Amino acid sequence: MVFTVAIIGRPNVGKSTLFNRLVGQKLAIVDDTPGVTRDHRVHAARLQDLHFDVIDTAGLEEVDSATLEGRMHAQTKLVIEKTDLILFVLDAKVGMISTDLIFASLVRKSRKPVVLVANKSESKQSTTGFYEIWQLGLGEPCAISAEHGLGLSDLRDAIVAAIGEQKAFEDETKEEAEQADAELIADHIENTDGKESLYDVTKPLRIAIVGRPNAGKSTLINTILGEERLLTGPEAGITRDSIWVDWIWRSRRIRLYDTAGLRRKARIQEKLEKLSVADTLRAIRFAEVVIILLDAMIPFKKQDLQIADLVIREGRAPVIAFNKWDLVRDRQETLAELYERCERLLPQICGMRALPVSGEYGQGIDRLMENVEIVHRIWNRRIPTGRLNRWFGKALTQHPPPVVSGRRLKLKYITQIKTRPPKFIISCSRPDVMPQSYLRYLVNGLRQDFDMPGVPIRLLIKKVDNPFAPRTAKC
C-alpha cells in the first residue's frame, strides 16, 4: 500500500509545478496568476525509488468560508486530514509572510509528518528567504526548484526521514514499481497504434462530462460519488483543471473526468481560460464515452451543438444528458420536444441517446450509466467480414452505385479495419468522384442493419488496383 503525500501552501508558490514534476507529466495547469488550482487532484508519483500518491491542492488563503476561496480552503483542510505526509511549500524568493505563519499552525494541529519545501531556490536571491523559513519551527527546509528539477534528491531523503523507511518502502517490489510506471503512462496516452481490442468489462471505462459553464458537471459527479469531491457553486467557470475520479458502478470500474465549461471561442481571451479549454479537449480525446451535459431549461444553444459536433469529430461515443430536470414542470411534453430537437439539430449521428437527469438530486443516474455502457459496447463492436460483404451485396442490389460521366462506379468489397469508433473501408473504381449522398446511404444502412445507433461511423474509400494497367519497373 503506497503512502499519500499532500502538497499545500499559499497561492503561487509552485505547488502545481512540483506536482507535475513528481508525476512526470504536465497534468496540472500552471500559470503566474495566483489561485489557478481549485479542485485537488490525486495521481501516482515517483521520486527516484519512492512510489506514492501525490495530491495537488488549492492555495491556502484566510478568507470567509462562504466565498469560493473559503470553499477551496475547506477542501484543502479535508485533504490534510486524510494524507500521510505534508509537503508544506513556501517561496524562497519571497521569504516568510504572515499567511505562512497562520497556516503553519494548521499544519502543527494536524499532527502529520511535515517536510518544509523552499521552492524557487535556484537563484542567489532566494538565500535570505530560505533562512527565514527556519522561523516556522517545523524542521530544516528542503531547498528545491520544481521548475528546473533541482534538489529532488534532498527532497527524497527528507520524505523518507519524515515518514520512516518502513512505511516509505512498504510492500515495494520491482514488479510493482514497473507496473505503476506502466499504468502512469497508459492511463493518459490514447491508443492510436491501429490495433484492434475486444470489449473487456474488466478495464476501467473512461467517461468525460463536458458542456457549457454552469451546466452542473461538478454537481453531477459529486452526487454520483456521494461526497463533495469537487468544488461547486453558483459562480460560472469554477472548474479549471480536468479532474478525474475513480468510481465503482455495479462492479464496473469507472474513471470520471470533470472538465471546464466550454464557451464560444470568440469569448475566450484570457490565457488561463485557453489553458482550461485545452485541458478539456485533451480529456475528450482520452475519454471513451463523453456525456454532453445540457441545461434542460436552456438547451441546444449554439455552443451546445458545437460541443456535440466536436465530440463526434473526435470519434468519441456521445451521450446527451438534460440536466436540472427537477426544475422542469411539464416533463412529458418537454421531453418529447427535446427528443425532436435532438434528431433535427444533430443529424451527424442517427439514434444518439439522450435522457433527462438531475445532478443535484441524483435522478436518472442509473439509467444514464446503463445507456453509457450500451453505447460503449456499440463503440467497440466488430462485424465479421463475411457478414459485412453479404450485407454489402444486398445494399448494392437495392440501390446501385451512381453513374458518373457515363460510367457506373464499381464497388468491390467492404471490411472493418478498426473499432473505437467503427471504421470501414470500401474498394471502389473511382473514389474521387464518389458522391457523399451514396456514402450516407451506406452509413445509415450499417447503423440500421447492424444495430449501431448513436456512435460515429467512419467510412473510407480506396481505389482498386487495375491488374491490366502497365506497371513501371522498379530500379
Side-chain angles (χ1 to χ4, degrees):
M1 183 67 180
V2 296
F3 60 96
T4 306
V5 176
I7 303 175
I8 71 167
R10 57 183 173 82
N12 213 26
V13 295
K15 299 184 297 298
S16 294
T17 304
L18 178 58
F19 174 85
N20 289 341
R21 175 68 63 177
L22 293 176
V23 302
Q25 302 177 65
K26 292 184 178 180
L27 298 179
I29 295 177
V30 177
D31 192 70
D32 294 335
T33 306
V36 172
T37 303
R38 289 175 174 174
D39 293 294
H40 68 270
R41 182 197 293 268
V42 185
H43 201 278
R46 177 180 179 180
L47 183 58
Q48 297 181 0
D49 57 342
L50 287 181
H51 294 84
F52 51 91
D53 290 335
V54 63
I55 307 176
D56 185 24
T57 63
L60 289 168
E61 296 182 83
E62 194 66 23
V63 291
D64 185 9
S65 59
T67 62
L68 173 60
E69 291 76 11
R71 299 197 298 273
M72 293 160 57
H73 188 171
Q75 194 180 69
T76 301
K77 291 177 66 176
L78 292 176
V79 172
I80 293 175
E81 295 175 2
K82 298 178 181 179
T83 192
D84 298 317
L85 175 69
I86 297 174
L87 295 183
F88 190 7
V89 183
L90 300 98
D91 190 337
K93 290 183 178 180
V94 177
M96 286 288 302
I97 62 174
S98 58
T99 307
D100 294 325
L101 295 172
I102 295 174
F103 295 120
S105 62
L106 175 64
V107 172
R108 291 192 189 92
K109 292 178 183 178
S110 69
R111 299 183 181 274
K112 301 284 185 178
V114 183
V115 173
L116 283 180
V117 180
N119 194 25
K120 307 181 184 180
S121 300
E122 67 274 8
S123 62
K124 295 181 179 179
Q125 291 82 357
S126 61
T127 304
T128 304
F130 174 79
Y131 288 111
E132 288 181 1
I133 296 175
W134 282 88
Q135 301 176 20
L136 293 176
L138 293 174
E140 180 180 358
C142 182
I144 72 165
S145 172
E147 178 69 24
H148 300 90
L150 303 177
L152 296 183
S153 296
D154 295 336
L155 178 61
R156 178 262 179 203
D157 296 338
I159 291 176
V160 173
I163 202 170
E165 290 192 7
Q166 182 177 0
K167 191 167 186 178
F169 301 101
E170 183 180 6
D171 297 331
E172 186 66 33
T173 64
K174 183 178 180 180
E175 291 77 13
E176 291 175 342
E178 292 175 351
Q179 182 179 1
D181 290 343
E183 292 177 352
L184 189 67
I185 299 174
D187 283 350
H188 299 281
I189 297 181
E190 187 178 12
N191 182 18
T192 57
D193 57 0
K195 297 181 180 180
E196 308 300 340
S197 58
L198 298 176
Y199 186 77
D200 188 0
V201 295
T202 61
K203 291 184 178 181
L205 173 57
R206 299 192 299 271
I207 304 173
I209 301 180
V210 302
R212 290 185 290 112
N214 216 20
K217 300 179 291 296
S218 300
T219 303
L220 176 61
I221 293 181
N222 284 342
T223 304
I224 288 175
L225 299 177
E227 60 175 316
E228 293 296 320
R229 170 63 177 83
L230 303 170
L231 283 173
T232 59
E235 305 92 345
I238 292 180
T239 304
R240 284 176 175 165
D241 291 273
S242 293
I243 305 295
W244 66 86
V245 292
D246 293 325
W247 177 50
I248 302 296
W249 177 76
R250 297 182 182 178
S251 302
R252 180 74 185 271
R253 291 186 296 164
I254 307 290
R255 173 159 287 184
L256 294 170
Y257 287 80
D258 182 31
T259 62
L262 294 173
R263 296 198 302 165
R264 290 172 54 188
K265 188 175 182 180
R267 295 184 179 180
I268 302 176
Q269 302 294 337
E270 299 181 359
K271 175 187 174 184
L272 190 56
E273 188 173 0
K274 292 180 180 179
L275 294 174
S276 297
V277 170
D279 205 27
T280 299
L281 298 179
R282 186 162 57 248
I284 292 175
R285 297 186 185 101
F286 289 147
E288 298 170 321
V289 180
V290 178
I291 298 176
I292 306 168
L293 204 63
L294 275 61
D295 190 335
M297 306 304 294
I298 46 173
F300 293 111
K301 295 290 186 179
K302 183 178 180 181
Q303 182 64 8
D304 293 327
L305 301 178
Q306 290 178 341
I307 293 173
D309 184 65
L310 170 66
V311 173
I312 294 169
R313 285 188 283 108
E314 287 293 338
R316 306 300 97 186
V319 175
I320 292 180
F322 302 110
N323 194 25
K324 305 181 183 179
W325 195 246
D326 53 291
L327 303 178
V328 178
R329 294 185 178 180
D330 192 353
R331 298 188 176 182
Q332 294 295 332
E333 183 178 349
T334 303
L335 188 60
E337 181 183 354
L338 291 175
Y339 285 158
E340 185 275 331
R341 294 178 65 184
C342 183
E343 294 179 1
R344 176 168 50 87
L345 297 175
L346 293 171
Q348 303 97 316
I349 293 185
C350 298
M352 187 183 297
R353 295 180 179 270
L355 60 157
V357 297
S358 174
E360 185 173 358
Y361 296 101
Q363 300 173 3
I365 290 180
D366 280 339
R367 188 183 172 197
L368 173 64
M369 292 306 303
E370 290 171 359
N371 281 267
V372 165
E373 189 171 40
I374 291 173
V375 170
H376 188 245
R377 287 180 180 272
I378 298 174
W379 193 62
N380 284 270
R381 181 172 299 167
R382 170 173 286 283
I383 305 172
T385 303
R387 187 181 171 194
L388 261 178
N389 282 278
R390 286 192 295 270
W391 166 84
F392 192 51
K394 294 179 181 179
L396 297 181
T397 302
Q398 293 176 359
H399 189 180
V403 176
V404 180
S405 300
R407 291 192 302 171
R408 186 174 298 277
L409 299 180
K410 295 180 181 180
L411 305 183
K412 298 294 185 179
Y413 63 88
I414 182 173
T415 185
Q416 184 175 357
I417 61 173
K418 193 177 181 294
T419 60
R420 305 162 61 90
K423 181 183 287 187
F424 303 88
I425 188 168
I426 295 177
S427 178
C428 177
S429 58
R430 290 184 292 165
D432 54 328
V433 295
M434 171 67 74
Q436 291 296 319
S437 58
Y438 196 77
L439 294 181
R440 286 195 297 269
Y441 158 71
L442 294 176
V443 169
N444 291 333
L446 287 169
R447 291 191 193 280
Q448 182 177 357
D449 296 336
F450 293 103
D451 192 21
M452 302 176 69
V455 298
I457 293 180
R458 304 285 189 257
L459 191 59
L460 304 179
I461 306 293
K462 77 168 186 177
K463 188 174 182 180
V464 182
D465 293 332
N466 185 357
F468 301 102
R471 298 182 182 179
T472 57
K474 295 182 179 179
C475 298

